[in-house]
């Protein structure tokens, strides 16, 4: 046993998966990290039938009503059938996306000592970093480190590494602008005014988190997991990554690997959107796998309602569909607390809000 392995036995000593993975002696996955996937639950990597829909942002925001209408229809189908799609031609410079990934990488590579001040445990701390998900309740340690910075309604400036603050400010603004247009398109795809959801959810005070994930190469990738199956809590999440893939989404009961074009955003519908649409648009299960060749970095940018805003199925939609509400209302802040609590560990958080059939 190496000294590194010895210290892992001593639970909370491992401040980052990076430190562990950097150890030259590491040739196998330590037991705390061992996560075995059900054999029926393996990814179906290369099935060309199964790639997420592509939404052309230039057409979605086109001045020609026909082009826009067509793309809105495609967007609606993507939300209904997949819950995931790829957004191209969005106008955010690829160089800015790369600079953001690079800034996050440099953060993760800071000496452990330098990251300590951000290792807090409160859900909505404006800047926090750590490893796994919540080491206090995780039954299996995750093969990832994270950095979460709240960028809206207040922008929080992380002052190290050099350049992070500037790049993250620009990246968060540009990404939010794309998310705002997607939200308008989704609203229209439901037959509502373009700004209906934004108004109902107090989007102008809405939450935006820059959530970077660092997944180092893993000696036995099939025996570990970056992030286990989960759904995202917000309205829409936009995700970018370095040149490594690893995201898998559940589609028609099968895990599908997501390969995205360089420079595109991978977008998914979150739990609040599923509540608003009374299950029409699905917040789909997804997971992050790890690999044995190189570090993967992803930046997920969840966008949600204002924290004090309760989410409920949209009355106009219920009326149109002749449905009753399937969910009780809960503020976004309470929902996030619930999702992070042991009660929701690895079970669908939405189930806690579902109206019981009687
Ligand atoms: C997330 C997430 C997937 C990935 O951070 O919520 O699902 O590919 N990440 O990193
Ligand atoms: Ni996610």
């Amino acid at each position: 046993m190496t000294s590194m392995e010895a210290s892992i036995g001593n639970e909370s000593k491992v401040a980052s998966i990076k430190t562990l993975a950097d150890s030259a002696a590491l040739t196998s996955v330590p037991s705390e990290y061992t996560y075995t996937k059900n054999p029926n639950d393996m990814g179906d990597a290369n099935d060309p039938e199964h790639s997420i829909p592509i939404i052309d942002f230039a057409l979605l925001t086109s001045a020609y009503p026909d082009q826009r209408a067509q793309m809105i229809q495609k967007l609606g189908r993507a939300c209904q059938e997949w819950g995931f799609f790829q957004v191209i031609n969005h106008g955010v410079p690829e160089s800015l996306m790369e600079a953001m990934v690079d800034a996050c990488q440099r953060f993760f590579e800071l000496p452990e000592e330098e990251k300590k001040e951000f290792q807090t445990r409160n859900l909505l701390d404006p800047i926090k970093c750590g490893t796994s998900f919540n080491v206090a309740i995780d039954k299996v340690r995750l093969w990832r480190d994270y950095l979460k910075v709240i960028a809206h309604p207040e922008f929080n400036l992380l002052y190290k590494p050099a350049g992070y603050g500037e790049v993250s400010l620009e990246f968060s603004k540009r990404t939010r602008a794309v998310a705002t247009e997607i939200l308008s398109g989704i609203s229209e795809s439901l037959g509502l005014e373009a700004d209906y959801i934004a108004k109902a959810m107090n989007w102008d005070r809405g939450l935006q988190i820059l959530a970077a994930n660092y997944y180092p190469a893993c000696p036995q990738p099939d025996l570990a997991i970056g992030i286990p199956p989960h759904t995202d809590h917000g309205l829409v999440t936009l995700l970018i990554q370095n040149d490594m893939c690893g995201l898998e989404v559940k589609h028609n009961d099968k895990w599908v690997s997501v390969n995205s074009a360089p420079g595109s955003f991978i977008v998914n519908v979150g739990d609040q959107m599923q509540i608003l649409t009374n299950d029409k648009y699905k917040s789909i299960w997804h997971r992050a796998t790890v690999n044995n060749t190189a570090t993967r970095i992803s930046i997920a940018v969840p966008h949600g309602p204002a924290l004090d805003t309760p989410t409920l199925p949209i009355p106009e939609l219920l009326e149109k569909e002749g449905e009753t509400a399937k969910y009780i209302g809960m503020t976004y802040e309470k929902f996030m607390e619930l999702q992070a609590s042991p009660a929701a560990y690895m079970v669908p958080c939405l189930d806690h809000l579902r109206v019981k059939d009687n």
Side-chain angles (χ1 to χ4, degrees):
M1 188 185 274
T2 64
S3 61
M4 179 60 72
E5 280 165 310
S7 68
I8 307 158
N10 189 353
E11 285 250 358
S12 49
K13 281 277 158 57
V14 179
S16 74
I17 188 66
K18 183 177 184 304
T19 324
L20 173 65
D22 282 350
S23 148
L26 189 80
T27 53
S28 63
V29 170
S31 60
E32 298 92 318
Y33 290 86
T34 304
Y35 177 95
T36 33
K37 301 183 194 108
N38 184 326
N40 306 326
D41 227 17
M42 300 304 255
D44 190 5
N46 302 310
D47 189 342
E49 297 272 293
H50 294 288
S51 46
I52 61 173
I54 295 175
I55 298 299
D56 188 329
F57 190 82
L59 297 181
L60 187 68
T61 52
S62 167
Y64 297 101
D66 282 0
Q67 283 187 339
R68 178 165 161 78
Q70 250 180 26
M71 207 34 76
I72 283 174
Q73 211 183 24
K74 189 169 179 191
L75 177 63
R77 274 204 310 274
C79 292
Q80 215 170 340
E81 292 166 14
W82 279 87
F84 263 86
F85 48 92
Q86 202 186 133
V87 173
I88 58 167
N89 293 332
H90 47 67
V92 180
E94 205 171 329
S95 56
L96 177 61
M97 296 168 117
E98 284 167 1
M100 184 64 195
V101 170
D102 177 66
C104 291
Q105 172 152 13
R106 286 185 292 110
F107 176 85
F108 290 115
E109 287 171 357
L110 288 173
E112 290 309 316
E113 207 45 44
E114 298 261 336
K115 291 183 266 187
K116 273 218 169 91
E117 64 178 294
F118 308 112
Q119 283 166 357
T120 51
R121 288 287 145 77
N122 299 319
L123 185 63
L124 285 165
D125 284 341
I127 299 175
K128 63 175 185 169
C129 72
T131 190
S132 200
F133 169 63
N134 178 348
V135 286
I137 63 169
D138 292 341
K139 297 191 179 72
V140 175
R141 289 285 183 98
L142 313 185
W143 203 267
R144 70 126 185 202
D145 294 332
Y146 65 83
L147 166 65
K148 293 184 184 174
V149 179
I150 296 181
H152 199 274
E154 258 114 57
F155 178 77
N156 291 279
L157 190 109
L158 170 57
Y159 68 94
K160 59 186 170 187
Y164 178 95
E166 226 175 10
V167 170
S168 65
L169 176 60
E170 183 64 14
F171 176 78
S172 61
K173 277 194 202 156
R174 300 290 303 259
T175 303
R176 197 174 135 80
V178 173
T180 304
E181 288 294 341
I182 293 171
L183 198 72
S184 303
I186 290 180
S187 238
E188 283 194 62
S189 77
L190 292 162
L192 303 165
E193 293 292 319
D195 61 357
Y196 184 102
I197 296 179
K199 276 189 181 153
M201 296 288 95
N202 294 313
W203 181 257
D204 56 338
R205 294 187 290 113
L207 189 69
Q208 181 196 39
I209 308 174
L210 302 174
N213 300 300
Y214 182 94
Y215 310 102
C218 173
Q220 297 170 298
D222 289 338
L223 295 183
I225 190 80
I227 306 181
H230 67 283
T231 58
D232 288 353
H233 47 67
L235 290 163
V236 284
T237 302
L238 276 64
L239 181 136
I240 64 169
Q241 58 191 2
N242 65 352
D243 50 7
M244 301 299 291
C245 293
L247 174 64
E248 294 181 351
V249 310
K250 196 122 197 204
H251 179 64
N252 294 340
D253 257 357
K254 264 171 134 180
W255 286 104
V256 176
S257 304
V258 174
N259 302 310
S260 65
S264 69
F265 281 109
I266 298 167
V267 180
N268 66 296
V269 163
D271 295 339
Q272 305 309 304
M273 190 65 80
Q274 182 164 337
I275 298 172
L276 283 177
T277 62
N278 213 34
D279 284 350
K280 184 171 186 184
Y281 290 176
K282 300 277 183 345
S283 178
I284 294 294
W285 290 82
H286 56 284
R287 66 187 182 188
T289 59
V290 294
N291 73 83
N292 57 10
T293 48
T295 296
R296 171 166 183 257
I297 292 172
S298 69
I299 304 169
V301 191
H303 295 80
L307 285 171
D308 59 3
T309 305
T311 306
L312 275 162
I314 296 172
E316 286 86 337
L317 293 183
L318 293 180
E319 200 173 317
K320 197 167 88 182
E321 308 282 341
E323 291 177 352
T324 55
K326 293 180 180 161
Y327 297 99
I328 58 164
M330 185 180 274
T331 66
Y332 186 39
E333 182 163 9
K334 282 268 173 300
F335 187 91
M336 288 179 72
E337 283 168 5
L338 179 63
Q339 197 201 36
S341 73
Y345 185 75
M346 303 278 274
V347 298
C349 191
L350 280 177
D351 283 358
H352 293 279
L353 277 69
R354 211 176 280 276
V355 174
K356 305 266 182 307
D357 290 330
N358 45 22

